[in-house]
Amino acid sequence: MRIFIISLIRSEGRACSDLRVWEIDNTTYQNLNYREKKFVYATCKFQGFRVDGERTIECVHGQPAKPLPQCKPMRQSCRPLDTPFFGWKSCSPNDKDIGSVCTFECNDTHYLRGSKERRCTRNHEWSGAPARCILKPECSLPVLDDKIQTECSFHRKVKLNEVCTFSCVEGFQLKGPDQLTCQLNGLLTDNKGSQTYPSCHSE
């Protein structure tokens, strides 16, 4: 509200009037008529500045309906990126300049969610999505048929992307998948995404 009042005071007698063009600080304003309505249009006087807010403001009862925007300096670099918890980042020299790149990795106990690589673009924003390190899920292997042979055990958790391979003792045939992989959802699944545990049957 305070900004709106100041804007009205500084533009009093000029905004939404018959005056065609006027200036305040770094901003040039124009009163425009379009289809029997009057508008105030804002542009910046200098390079390196941008209009902060809506460029075009409608006039209502002879006054701007909203605070007039002002031109503010453009950032010449991107904001610094945070290092994710349980991970680290590696950035090129002058890591906030346009074109610079930052890459992210996580500790062995975590996996990366977001963008592995982000670049400072010409609009002074980072490409991609914020990098976060999420604790890796673990999978539980139930007690299986005692005739099944596997390097995995129900006594310990199976780590993310770890593969459990199954076979049967001599004289028995395996029924079901011979491999299960620990997935992000904490389930052990086969290559079709099915959580089916194998069993052994006599030949």
Side-chain angles (χ1 to χ4, degrees):
M1 183 67 180
R2 182 172 179 271
I3 296 175
F4 188 28
I5 293 173
I6 292 174
S7 176
L8 285 174
I9 292 173
R10 300 187 69 184
S11 302
E12 188 174 3
R14 294 182 288 184
C16 302
S17 70
D18 293 331
L19 181 67
R20 182 168 175 78
V21 178
W22 79 97
E23 297 177 350
I24 297 178
D25 298 330
N26 301 310
T27 313
T28 300
Y29 299 99
Q30 299 179 64
N31 289 313
L32 304 176
N33 294 303
Y34 180 71
R35 292 186 177 179
E36 300 182 357
K37 290 186 178 181
K38 190 179 287 290
F39 300 86
V40 179
Y41 182 73
T43 56
C44 295
K45 292 167 59 178
F46 308 107
Q47 289 186 347
F49 286 76
R50 63 177 178 83
V51 176
D52 185 27
E54 297 181 36
R55 286 180 174 270
T56 306
I57 304 297
E58 185 178 355
C59 296
V60 178
H61 303 304
Q63 295 291 340
K66 298 179 181 179
L68 296 182
Q70 296 179 338
C71 290
K72 294 184 177 181
M74 294 176 60
R75 286 185 287 114
Q76 298 302 314
S77 61
C78 294
R79 294 187 178 92
L81 292 172
D82 293 330
T83 299
F85 292 110
F86 306 105
W88 62 92
K89 70 175 179 180
S90 176
C91 298
S92 53
N94 302 319
D95 62 349
K96 297 183 292 296
D97 290 349
I98 294 173
S100 60
V101 175
C102 287
T103 57
F104 303 87
E105 294 187 54
C106 295
N107 299 340
D108 291 340
T109 55
H110 291 67
Y111 71 93
L112 183 70
R113 178 177 292 173
S115 299
K116 181 178 178 62
E117 179 179 290
R118 303 186 72 186
R119 183 180 299 274
C120 181
T121 62
R122 291 186 179 277
N123 62 355
H124 311 106
E125 299 291 342
W126 289 100
S127 64
R132 297 171 55 204
C133 291
I134 309 298
L135 183 65
K136 289 180 178 178
E138 294 178 317
C139 301
S140 298
L141 183 69
V143 178
L144 300 176
D145 190 328
D146 59 3
K147 301 175 182 61
I148 287 182
Q149 297 174 320
T150 179
E151 71 278 13
C152 297
S153 170
F154 66 89
H155 293 296
R156 71 170 180 85
K157 296 287 187 179
V158 182
K159 297 185 182 301
L160 178 66
N161 294 326
E162 184 178 352
V163 178
C164 295
T165 303
F166 305 95
S167 62
C168 293
V169 298
E170 187 175 353
F172 288 82
Q173 185 175 5
L174 186 73
K175 182 178 180 181
D178 61 354
Q179 286 187 339
L180 293 175
T181 304
C182 181
Q183 307 292 347
L184 272 176
N185 58 7
L187 300 178
L188 283 163
T189 64
D190 59 19
N191 58 6
K192 296 181 180 179
S194 175
Q195 188 185 31
T196 303
Y197 296 106
S199 58
C200 291
H201 301 266
S202 57
E203 295 179 346

